[in-house]
Structure formats: C-alpha cells, structure tokens
C-alpha cells in the first residue's frame, strides 16, 4: 500500500496488493468518509409507475461508512453507506467495491495511535510464502501472508508405503503439480519453502528441482519437528524461515504470544478486562497484546488509551494464526507485566 498524508488530515491510499485489504478493513470504521471512483446504475423512468434499470456509469463520490464487509484472504472489500458528496444521488445508499489497483481518500474525525501504527505496517513491502509441509505419506500446502496462515490443500500418499501403494516418486510428482497450480496466478513474488522433519523434505526438493528447476530453483528447506500446519507455525516461531519469507510482523506477533506464555508461567502476565485495566492503571504493563479486531471495540479502545497513558508497548495480533487463536481464548487481550502484582 502507498500512503500520502494531507495537511487537512485526509489520507490517500493506493491499494497495490490483496493483503492491503486486511489493513484497510482495520482502518475503516463507521462514521469515516471514503471518496473513490465507482460504478453506479442510473434509474431510467420508463413510465410514471416504475423505474427501469439503467446502464452503469462511472462516478466519483464520497461515502459515509456504515458497514464494512471483508473476508480474510479475500480479493475484495465492500463498504456501505449513504452518499454525502457526488454529482447525483446524494443521500442514497451505495456500496463501494475495493480491490488491488484501486485508490481512495480516507477522512476520519480523529486519527488514533493504533490507526497510525496500522498505516506504518501497511506500507511495508509485501512478501508472500508458499509452505510445503512434509511428513510421512502426507503433504500440506499453506500460504503464509503477513497477517496469517491458510491451508490450501492436503495431499495423502495413496496406499502408503505398502505393496501396491503409490510410490514416493509418483506422490512427489503430484505434490509438484499441486504447487504449480497454487503458483499459477503468482506474479513471481512468492517464496517457496519446504518444511518438515528428517530427509523427506530433502528428497522432495531434489526431485522437484530436477523436474521444475525454474519453479523450485530458489526453494529453501527448513527443518521442523513435525509437518502440517503445526510445522509451519513451529518454523515461524523458531525464526528458521529465510528472511525473505519470515513475514517479520507475523513472526513478531507469534514470538510476542510465546513470550506472554513464558511470563504467565512466572506470574508476570495477566489477562481479563478488569485485571488488565488494573495493571495498566498501576503502570505495571510492559507490553499489551490485543487482537487487531478488538481495536474497534469499546473495551479495546479503553485498553489502548490506558496503555498509551502508561507508555506500555502495544502489539496488535492478527486473529488469523495460532497466536491470535490463543489470544482470542483469553478474551482478546493480555499483558506482560514489569513486576508481579
């Protein structure tokens, strides 16, 4: 995403990648004003009793947001609300459909600290990775984005290793075909990583490089104690992924949750709304972990204000990975303490 700040507090955003929509979803809130180009159908009066559907025409308008719809890992974001400024149809409701390649102007009544942090994260270079997690007789393909991990496909070796079963070579050939399908629409910016225990990942990488050197030539093998999505999370937490695919923010969030778990075992962490509020008001909070989606809730806003007043570090955690799932189970927020309470 590219960002241009104006003196009047309005920000212009250029959406350059699907991942920008994740950040945009967290930026947009009811009451914000968004100005963008769109298409809107004109009503054609066929007679005095009814209006027929006219042709869609391009129109630049300003919308006051009432509702935002976004599906994680999706390619489109919808924001709904009444038109406040346009050549026609002011006051009527409209839906803006935004995706990669679009630009918009965003105006807020107040830009809070977490909004500014979100903009700083949004302008970071986007680096995607496709993880091929290998274990005995099965392989999981998963895409690693800056905000989460999503399983794309799971493949099992037909018949296992027994007599008459699928050979390892044939199974690995199927894996390579699936990887090629997953990368079919890739523009060349995806890093390929093979993760797993033992020598299986090396065997897969050797065969894949021999069959498709142009696709697998730069792939990297990373050792993990297990395969599947658990192996991908392990590789991320351990920091073993190559820097180009480490997804720095994602890794930082996972490490922060791990450090919280360690601190909790030492009675140097807390969670629960009342406990968090008390810790932050006492100045005991060293680091506040909060689900990114909670920054829009009244409870989350209150915790963010208290953290800012106490100069507590804030880390927003995406709900779309294992660390976010742990945090969600704790109520959406937790804190590492400077000292025991």
């Amino acid at each position: 995403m590219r960002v241009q700040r104006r003196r009047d507090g309005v920000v212009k955003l250029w959406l350059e990648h699907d991942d920008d929509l994740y950040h945009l979803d967290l930026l947009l809130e009811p009451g914000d004003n968004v100005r963008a180009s769109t298409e809107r159908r004109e009503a054609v009066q066929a007679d005095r009793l009814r209006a027929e559907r006219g042709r869609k025409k391009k129109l630049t308008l300003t919308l006051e947001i009432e509702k935002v719809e976004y599906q994680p890992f999706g390619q489109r974001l919808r924001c709904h609300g009444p038109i406040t400024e346009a050549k026609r149809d002011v006051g009527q409701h409209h839906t803006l459909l935004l995706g990669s390649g679009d630009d918009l102007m965003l105006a807020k009544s107040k830009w809070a600290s977490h909004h500014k942090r979100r903009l700083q994260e949004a302008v970071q270079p986007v680096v995607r990775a496709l993880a091929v997690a290998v274990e005995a007789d099965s392989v999981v393909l998963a895409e690693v984005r800056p905000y989460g991990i999503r399983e794309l496909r799971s493949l099992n070796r037909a018949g296992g290793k027994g007599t008459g079963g699928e050979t390892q070579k044939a199974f690995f050939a199927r894996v390579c075909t699936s990887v090629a399908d997953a990368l079919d629409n890739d523009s060349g910016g995806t890093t390929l990583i093979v993760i797993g225990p033992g020598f299986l990942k090396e065997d897969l990488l050797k065969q894949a490089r021999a069959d498709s050197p142009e696709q697998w030539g730069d792939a990297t093998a990373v050792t993990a104690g297990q395969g599947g999505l658990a192996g991908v999370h392990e590789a991320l937490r351990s920091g073993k992924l190559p820097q180009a695919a480490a997804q720095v923010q994602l890794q930082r969030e996972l490490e922060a949750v791990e450090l919280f778990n360690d601190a909790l075992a030492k009675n140097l962490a807390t969670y629960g709304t009342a406990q968090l509020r008390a810790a932050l008001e006492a100045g005991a909070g060293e680091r506040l972990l909060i689900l990114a989606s909670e920054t829009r809730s009244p409870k989350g806003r209150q915790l963010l204000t208290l953290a800012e007043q106490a100069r507590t570090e804030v880390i927003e955690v995406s709900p779309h990975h294992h660390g976010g799932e742990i945090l969600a189970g704790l109520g959406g927020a937790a804190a590492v303490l400077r000292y025991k309470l």
Side-chain angles (χ1 to χ4, degrees):
M1 181 186 294
R2 286 192 295 132
V3 176
Q4 182 184 66
R5 294 178 176 87
R6 299 194 334 188
R7 292 182 181 179
D8 56 3
V10 176
V11 170
K12 184 167 185 178
L13 307 175
W14 287 267
L15 307 176
E16 300 179 311
H17 198 282
D18 293 349
D19 291 338
D20 292 339
L21 299 177
Y22 167 74
H23 299 292
L24 183 61
D25 176 50
L26 293 170
L27 282 169
L28 298 179
E29 298 170 332
D32 291 349
N33 284 286
V34 172
R35 186 168 182 80
S37 295
T38 183
E39 288 188 339
R40 183 169 174 83
R41 196 180 299 277
E42 286 187 320
V44 178
Q45 197 69 33
D47 52 44
R48 294 182 180 181
L49 299 178
R50 62 186 179 87
E52 292 184 350
R53 287 161 60 87
R55 292 183 304 172
K56 284 186 175 181
K57 289 190 175 182
K58 288 187 177 181
L59 180 69
T60 298
L61 53 79
T62 301
L63 198 75
E64 182 179 334
I65 294 178
E66 290 183 344
K67 184 173 65 172
V68 177
E69 295 178 1
Y70 169 66
Q71 185 69 33
F73 300 94
Q75 297 179 326
R76 291 287 184 272
L77 178 146
R78 291 176 170 84
C79 48
H80 312 265
I83 299 171
T84 59
E85 185 181 348
K87 290 183 178 179
R88 58 183 175 86
D89 299 339
V90 172
Q92 296 187 25
H93 278 69
H94 183 71
T95 298
L96 279 174
L97 186 63
L98 299 170
S100 177
D102 293 331
D103 61 83
L104 64 141
M105 307 289 286
L106 172 60
K108 288 179 172 289
S109 58
K110 179 183 177 182
W111 287 88
S113 297
H114 66 278
H115 294 139
K116 296 173 184 177
R117 284 196 303 270
R118 179 59 52 191
L119 286 177
Q120 290 172 354
E121 291 179 17
V123 299
Q124 299 303 311
V126 173
V127 182
R128 279 186 180 178
L130 178 64
V132 184
V134 187
E135 53 188 349
D137 300 331
S138 68
V139 168
V140 168
L141 305 185
E143 61 174 331
V144 182
R145 301 274 193 98
Y147 58 87
I149 301 167
R150 179 175 68 156
E151 180 177 328
L152 296 177
R153 190 172 182 184
S154 178
L155 299 98
N156 295 306
R157 185 173 172 183
K161 299 185 224 179
T163 304
E166 186 178 25
T167 65
Q168 185 183 83
K169 184 175 182 180
F171 178 49
F172 283 171
R174 275 204 298 126
V175 171
C176 292
T177 299
S178 292
V179 169
D181 290 341
L183 295 176
D184 188 41
N185 295 321
D186 178 52
S187 59
T190 299
T191 301
L192 197 56
I193 311 163
V194 185
I195 299 171
F199 296 102
L200 276 173
K201 63 183 180 303
E202 303 290 350
D203 293 339
L204 170 59
L205 200 50
K206 182 179 179 181
Q207 179 175 328
R209 282 174 172 164
D211 294 343
S212 304
E214 68 288 345
Q215 203 161 62
W216 292 78
D218 295 327
T220 304
V222 177
T223 299
Q226 53 195 324
L229 288 182
V232 180
H233 280 105
E234 178 187 333
L236 274 165
R237 288 195 306 270
S238 65
K240 292 179 181 178
L241 296 188
Q243 187 62 32
Q247 309 293 354
V248 177
Q249 181 58 30
L250 175 57
Q251 186 168 324
R252 179 172 177 253
E253 293 173 13
L254 288 167
E255 287 175 347
V257 175
E258 286 291 308
L259 290 173
F260 164 79
N261 287 331
D262 293 341
L264 189 62
K266 300 173 185 176
N267 202 25
L268 277 170
T270 190
Y271 58 92
T273 305
Q275 294 88 335
L276 287 170
R277 191 162 48 232
L280 293 171
E281 288 174 346
E286 179 181 333
R287 181 184 301 118
L288 175 68
L289 279 63
I290 184 168
L291 280 179
S293 52
E294 280 295 315
T295 61
R296 293 179 291 199
S297 71
K299 178 191 78 173
R301 289 293 179 86
Q302 184 182 42
L303 292 175
L304 288 170
T305 299
L306 291 172
E308 188 173 354
Q309 292 170 351
R311 296 186 178 181
T312 299
E313 180 188 5
V314 175
I315 296 181
E316 293 182 35
V317 179
S318 167
H320 308 303
H321 56 68
H322 184 59
E325 292 170 1
I326 291 175
L327 197 56
L330 299 175
V336 175
L337 304 177
R338 295 188 174 100
Y339 51 83
K340 292 182 182 180
L341 292 175

